[in-house]
Amino acid sequence: MKHERRKLLSIAFDAICHGISVLDSDLNILLANKTVEKWHSHALPVIGRKCYEAYHGKSKCCEFCPAERSLKNHSVQYEIMPVVELDGAEGWREVFAFPVFGQNANLICVVVCVREIKGRKEVEDLQKEYCKLEKRLHERTIELSKTKKELQAAISGFKKAEKSQKETKTALKVLMQQRIEAKTELEETVLLNAKELIVPFLERLNKSRLDSKQKAYVNIIESNLNEIVAPLVREFSKINLKLTPTEIQVTNLVRQGKSTKEIAESLNLATSTIDTHRNKIRKKLGIKNKKINLRTYLRTHLFSTS
């Protein structure tokens, strides 16, 4: 069966009307079909000889040999080559060279396929077509290179935009935080001033001898004041918190991150007194004996707006 298969392959190989040669890496002819032997009947046998010696009667490789280029570049090569027949007639042959690789990717040989070109016009047409193909390949290469540069520029621009967006987002976060802190500080100031500068005097007025009309005015002022500060003390109203003026001062300083010692120095009080105020504040806030940081609680709950 194996012998019959080889015989069939040999018959098919010889039946090809184009010239087929198989060359090794030194351009020695390993195989040649009947067409090649017919073309070079004067130089038989050709097997085992250099292709340029047997086919062209030369002592060195042809100048534009596609087989040599194929062996060197490991790629398919093409060439239209002039031929001088035995009777002196000039002709042209179209030559393709195909590299053949083994299982380990080593180059084994090169297969050379040669087709006769009958007329000069056909040669010119083939050369023109080949030039067109080369031109199209060149244009396509330039186009791909341009596209690659555009993609690289787009990617670079995207990265810059992404970086700028991140920086803008970070800046907006900082500005928003600053705005929140400024708003909170303003609310604290309004609340503190109301507690320290207005409420005590209203209480004194209520305790003084006022006629009914004056008491009505005081009640109106007190009511309007409560309306003003109500949005600023949502948490106060929830737990019915009533801080003394001193406790309000301590609360504000704790909220600002001051230590017990610093608060004592600011209010000209003993640190033990400040500790007492802190405990009373924690009790009124409902966080006494709980593992909750007082400053954190004040910043996130006490002075949040509704």
Side-chain angles (χ1 to χ4, degrees):
M1 186 69 180
K2 192 173 182 180
H3 177 72
E4 290 179 359
R5 186 179 297 174
R6 286 183 178 179
K7 186 176 180 180
L8 286 173
L9 288 174
S10 179
I11 292 171
F13 184 67
D14 288 332
I16 298 172
C17 61
H18 301 319
I20 305 294
S21 300
V22 180
L23 312 178
D24 66 12
S25 58
D26 293 322
L27 299 179
N28 294 310
I29 303 169
L30 301 176
L31 291 172
N33 67 352
K34 294 296 183 182
T35 302
V36 172
E37 291 181 348
K38 180 181 176 182
W39 289 344
H40 305 285
S41 57
H42 61 284
L44 296 176
V46 296
I47 303 299
R49 298 169 63 187
K50 301 289 186 183
C51 61
Y52 52 81
E53 177 190 350
Y55 297 159
H56 305 290
K58 294 183 177 181
S59 59
K60 62 180 181 179
C61 184
C62 301
E63 185 177 0
F64 301 105
C65 178
E68 184 185 38
R69 294 204 306 270
S70 182
L71 289 167
K72 181 179 179 181
N73 301 327
H74 291 193
S75 61
V76 178
Q77 297 294 320
Y78 170 81
E79 193 70 53
I80 294 178
M81 303 183 69
V83 177
V84 180
E85 305 293 347
L86 292 175
D87 58 3
E90 295 182 354
W92 298 86
R93 285 178 182 163
E94 187 179 29
V95 183
F96 288 91
F98 304 89
V100 179
F101 300 92
Q103 292 183 350
N104 56 358
N106 289 334
L107 185 63
I108 298 174
C109 59
V110 61
V111 177
V112 180
C113 179
V114 182
R115 184 178 76 90
E116 281 193 309
I117 303 173
K118 299 299 182 183
R120 186 173 185 83
K121 185 178 184 304
E122 188 179 357
V123 174
E124 292 174 351
D125 290 343
L126 285 171
Q127 287 178 329
K128 287 179 181 179
E129 189 65 27
Y130 183 69
C131 288
K132 287 181 182 179
L133 288 173
E134 279 195 326
K135 184 179 179 181
R136 285 175 61 187
L137 179 62
H138 180 67
E139 290 173 351
R140 184 62 176 164
T141 302
I142 293 174
E143 184 180 346
L144 288 173
S145 178
K146 183 180 178 182
T147 303
K148 183 181 177 182
K149 289 181 180 178
E150 289 174 352
L151 284 172
Q152 288 175 338
I155 291 171
S156 177
F158 176 76
K159 288 182 178 179
K160 288 180 180 178
E162 188 178 23
K163 183 180 179 182
S164 177
Q165 187 178 21
K166 287 181 179 179
E167 291 174 351
T168 303
K169 189 175 180 181
T170 302
L172 285 173
K173 282 184 177 180
V174 172
L175 289 174
M176 184 63 70
Q177 184 62 33
Q178 289 176 348
R179 183 176 178 183
I180 291 172
E181 290 177 358
K183 183 181 177 183
T184 303
E185 185 177 354
L186 177 61
E187 291 171 353
E188 291 176 10
T189 302
V190 172
L191 180 61
L192 185 62
N193 288 338
K195 286 277 186 178
E196 289 187 338
L197 303 179
I198 300 175
V199 172
F201 291 100
L202 289 175
E203 291 176 350
R204 289 182 184 180
L205 283 173
N206 276 325
K207 292 178 181 179
S208 62
R209 296 179 180 179
L210 299 175
D211 57 33
S212 58
K213 190 174 183 180
Q214 290 172 331
K215 285 185 177 181
Y217 286 151
V218 171
N219 289 334
I220 291 171
I221 293 171
E222 187 174 7
S223 176
N224 290 337
L225 179 62
N226 289 332
E227 288 293 327
I228 293 172
V229 301
L232 308 180
V233 290
R234 182 181 64 183
E235 194 69 17
F236 284 24
S237 62
K238 282 183 181 179
I239 59 175
N240 194 25
L241 181 62
K242 292 182 179 180
L243 298 177
T244 66
T246 303
E247 288 172 350
I248 291 175
Q249 289 180 320
V250 173
T251 299
N252 187 47
L253 293 170
V254 170
R255 170 68 174 74
Q256 294 175 15
K258 303 294 184 181
S259 66
T260 298
K261 184 178 179 181
E262 290 173 331
I263 296 172
E265 291 176 353
S266 297
L267 301 181
N268 197 24
L269 297 171
T271 55
S272 58
T273 304
I274 301 302
D275 286 333
T276 301
H277 285 306
R278 290 174 71 106
N279 289 330
K280 288 181 179 180
I281 292 168
R282 292 182 69 89
K283 183 178 180 180
K284 290 180 180 181
L285 290 174
I287 60 172
K288 187 176 181 181
N289 300 324
K290 293 184 180 180
K291 294 181 179 180
I292 299 175
N293 183 272
L294 179 59
R295 179 172 181 261
T296 302
Y297 186 88
L298 292 174
R299 290 178 64 87
T300 57
H301 292 80
L302 187 57
F303 293 106
S304 60
T305 59
S306 58

